[in-house]
Amino acid sequence: MTKIAEEFLVKADEKAFDLDHRDTINHNIGKYNAAVERGLTKFENLENSKKKAHTIKWRVMENLDKFLPEFEANFQRRGGKVIWANDTEEAQREILNIISKSGGKTVIKSKSMITEEIHLNDFLEKNDINSLESDLGEFIVQLLGQAPYHIVTPAMHLTKEDIAKLFHEKFGTPIDYTPQQLTQKARELLREKYLTADIGITGGNFLIADTGSIALTENEGNARLSTTFPKIHIAIVGIEKIIPSMADLDLFWPLLASHGTGQNLTVYNTILSGPRQPHETDGPEEMYVILLDNGRTNLLAQKDQRQGLYCIRCGACLNACPIYKNIGGHTYNTTYSGPIGSLITPHLQGMKDFKHLSYASSLCGKCSEVCPVKIDIHKMLLFNRRDAAEQHENTKVEDIGWKMWNTGMSKRSRMDMVGGKIKNFLLKFFFKKMWGKYRAMPEIADKSFAAQWQEKQKSKTDI
């Protein structure tokens, strides 16, 4: 077992028995579930909408080599610049080059999981560039020095009392401030930063191929401010976020909003097609889109699991997952947590170090059921387990144990070659630590059912 896997098990052990944490998460996810249930009723035929979204994403992934150049050409036609980055280091280097050339020293960021993926804040800080999160949830976890807890709601693990205490310690606000007052304080702190920041950095919910645009969806307006006031706007987007046409937003925006927050549409939906044009009054003077691979082509090469690239980052599978609700987002120690993170991370960061996430699932199928683009997530996790075994990424003890089990189970006579005492010993030796920590291991009878049956039949014959 790798060190990363061992740390995961230790953290999962702690969080699973943290009752305060469980109360907070169940309360927050409960509110989410109620909102989403209302939001989904707005669809005339939800299942057909999900099937259509799945088909569009399938077509995109099968033709990624056509749609990405189409986006690039259309974006550049309006004065934008496209940079292709193979990995985290390339993306970081390109961003630093843009900032350094402009002489910038301050960055304002809107909510973006892909900037978390490339550890952008830490990188910029090491290069003496001040980077501030403008999304309220991201701002809160940045103050705490934490990573986002959830794809959509970064501070889901905190209560309003926790946040009031944090603001009291950082800004001297009264300890009994209400959520509305805390939000107003954050607004006061952040407004000036938009006006003075040199660079605005965002992610992108969708890349639109036929117009060369990026689509941003949010509820606070911070992305719109981050892209309007600074002279330079950098958007970092994964290559899988492409959709063929502007018309596809009519499907994807409502699916994302309803499954992410229960809304028909989020409050702010913005389409950006390049820097400010001569006839326009606001917007950046320069706009860059960095198209990031960072392991995505590794997943694209997997015929069985490439569905993971269909994800639109709504977070629905996290909120549905019984494992996530018990061990929490930080336990995964990855940018993308929950079921979708367990599916894609082994391909993005390496099967050897992250194969254990594919086992962090009850395989109940709830994640697949709630996915707005019908990714068969729990089935994909089984494929990951298969690949880990085929690539011999499991430990020698696991390999030996499963080979013995397979050999014995394939033939009845082999199962009966040894008695119950030896079988119980083997169970405890190979599986006690993994399976038996919080449950009683099964006790196998001294004689198998077949042997007992034969003895019983023989005794009847003797009589």
Side-chain angles (χ1 to χ4, degrees):
M1 185 181 294
T2 64
K3 185 178 179 182
I4 294 174
E6 288 178 356
E7 290 175 353
F8 172 81
L9 292 176
V10 171
K11 290 179 181 178
D13 204 5
E14 293 172 355
K15 279 297 178 186
F17 292 91
D18 184 340
L19 298 183
D20 289 338
H21 169 264
R22 186 178 299 185
D23 287 344
T24 301
I25 298 309
N26 285 340
H27 172 74
N28 289 334
I29 289 181
K31 291 169 66 177
Y32 160 87
N33 288 337
V36 168
E37 187 176 352
R38 291 192 302 270
L40 296 183
T41 62
K42 304 296 183 181
F43 284 86
E44 181 69 26
N45 191 323
L46 178 61
E47 191 63 19
N48 275 357
S49 295
K50 291 165 71 169
K51 286 179 181 177
K52 184 178 179 182
H54 180 93
T55 302
I56 291 171
K57 293 299 284 186
W58 169 82
R59 184 162 68 92
V60 165
M61 292 310 141
E62 297 301 313
N63 297 278
L64 205 56
D65 57 331
K66 297 186 177 87
F67 284 116
L68 286 172
E70 181 184 354
F71 165 83
E72 179 181 33
N74 289 327
F75 183 70
Q76 289 177 334
R77 193 172 291 120
R78 289 180 57 86
K81 298 173 185 177
V82 174
I83 298 170
W84 298 75
N86 287 315
D87 52 31
T88 293
E89 288 72 27
E90 277 192 26
Q92 290 176 342
R93 187 168 62 249
E94 293 292 349
I95 292 168
L96 184 61
N97 286 342
I98 295 168
I99 296 174
S100 299
K101 286 179 183 177
S102 69
K105 283 295 179 183
T106 55
V107 166
I108 190 80
K109 280 178 73 270
S110 74
K111 185 181 181 306
S112 163
M113 290 307 296
I114 204 162
T115 57
E116 296 291 337
E117 181 182 335
I118 65 172
H119 312 291
L120 185 59
N121 284 341
D122 291 339
F123 172 77
L124 293 177
E125 185 179 342
K126 289 175 185 176
N127 286 276
D128 300 319
I129 296 168
N130 181 36
S131 177
L132 182 68
E133 297 287 352
S134 60
D135 173 83
L136 181 55
E138 291 276 0
F139 178 62
I140 289 166
V141 295
Q142 185 182 32
L143 290 174
L144 287 168
Q146 297 179 357
Y149 181 92
H150 188 281
I151 291 174
V152 175
T153 46
M156 179 186 272
H157 60 304
L158 301 173
T159 64
K160 61 180 183 294
E161 289 79 16
D162 294 330
I163 299 168
K165 181 181 178 183
L166 172 68
F167 274 50
H168 174 71
E169 292 171 354
K170 295 287 185 179
F171 309 118
T173 55
I175 195 70
D176 59 350
Y177 251 23
T178 65
Q180 291 78 13
Q181 290 171 314
L182 293 169
T183 302
Q184 181 60 36
K185 180 62 179 179
R187 186 178 290 118
E188 292 170 4
L189 293 166
L190 291 170
R191 277 295 164 93
E192 182 187 352
K193 304 298 183 182
Y194 294 115
L195 299 172
T196 58
D198 301 309
I199 312 288
I201 296 180
T202 70
N205 295 99
F206 302 102
L207 294 168
I208 307 167
D210 69 345
T211 61
S213 309
I214 67 166
L216 298 170
T217 181
E218 51 160 338
N219 277 315
E220 298 175 16
N222 56 82
R224 202 168 273 187
L225 291 169
S226 298
T227 60
T228 301
F229 287 111
K231 292 183 178 180
I232 297 175
H233 171 209
I234 304 172
I236 313 163
V237 191
I239 56 174
E240 82 281 12
K241 292 297 188 73
I242 197 90
I243 57 174
S245 167
M246 181 79 74
D248 295 319
L249 288 176
D250 185 49
L251 173 66
F252 283 102
W253 262 347
L255 280 175
L256 176 57
S258 60
H259 287 78
T261 57
Q263 297 167 277
N264 296 338
L265 281 177
T266 48
V267 178
Y268 298 95
N269 294 284
T270 308
I271 297 170
L272 301 170
S273 303
R276 184 173 71 236
Q277 302 299 301
H279 62 280
E280 294 175 339
T281 57
D282 57 20
E285 296 174 5
E286 297 179 55
M287 183 175 173
Y288 299 82
V289 171
I290 297 176
L291 297 173
L292 182 67
D293 182 342
N294 209 31
R296 285 160 174 78
T297 49
N298 295 336
L299 183 52
L300 184 65
Q302 304 299 316
K303 184 178 179 181
D304 292 325
Q305 293 106 302
R306 68 173 59 145
Q307 278 187 37
L309 293 171
Y310 298 4
C311 177
I312 59 173
R313 304 289 189 267
C314 68
C317 62
L318 282 68
N319 299 324
C321 179
I323 305 299
Y324 181 89
K325 286 189 279 189
N326 277 281
I327 68 173
H330 288 153
T331 301
Y332 290 82
N333 195 27
T334 61
T335 302
Y336 307 105
S337 55
I340 190 63
S342 298
L343 164 57
I344 68 176
T345 302
H347 301 280
L348 300 184
Q349 298 190 46
M351 186 66 74
K352 183 176 182 179
D353 286 334
F354 290 96
K355 75 178 182 67
H356 62 278
L357 295 181
S358 299
Y359 295 85
S361 170
S362 65
L363 298 179
C364 65
K366 188 67 175 177
C367 51
S368 303
E369 179 186 325
V370 300
C371 178
V373 289
K374 295 186 75 66
I375 302 172
D376 208 351
I377 300 175
H378 70 294
K379 186 177 180 181
M380 304 297 107
L381 294 175
L382 284 174
F383 284 134
N384 278 0
R385 297 182 189 186
R386 175 204 64 189
D387 290 350
E390 289 180 351
Q391 296 167 22
H392 302 288
E393 298 293 358
N394 295 326
T395 63
K396 289 184 178 179
V397 173
E398 281 181 276
D399 282 341
I400 293 169
W402 287 118
K403 283 177 182 176
M404 290 176 63
W405 180 87
N406 186 51
T407 301
M409 289 294 288
S410 61
K411 201 169 183 181
R412 177 80 255 179
S413 60
R414 291 174 186 163
M415 286 295 293
D416 291 344
M417 285 176 66
V418 295
K421 289 183 179 179
I422 295 177
K423 291 174 183 174
N424 284 322
F425 169 78
L426 293 173
L427 272 175
K428 290 177 182 177
F429 180 78
F430 286 109
F431 302 110
K432 176 71 175 175
K433 187 176 179 181
M434 184 188 303
W435 287 350
K437 189 171 183 180
Y438 294 112
R439 58 173 71 89
M441 295 294 286
E443 286 291 329
I444 297 174
D446 289 339
K447 295 180 180 180
S448 69
F449 173 79
Q452 293 181 52
W453 179 263
Q454 289 173 358
E455 288 179 3
K456 187 174 182 179
Q457 294 303 312
K458 186 179 180 182
S459 63
K460 286 180 179 180
T461 304
D462 292 342
I463 294 173

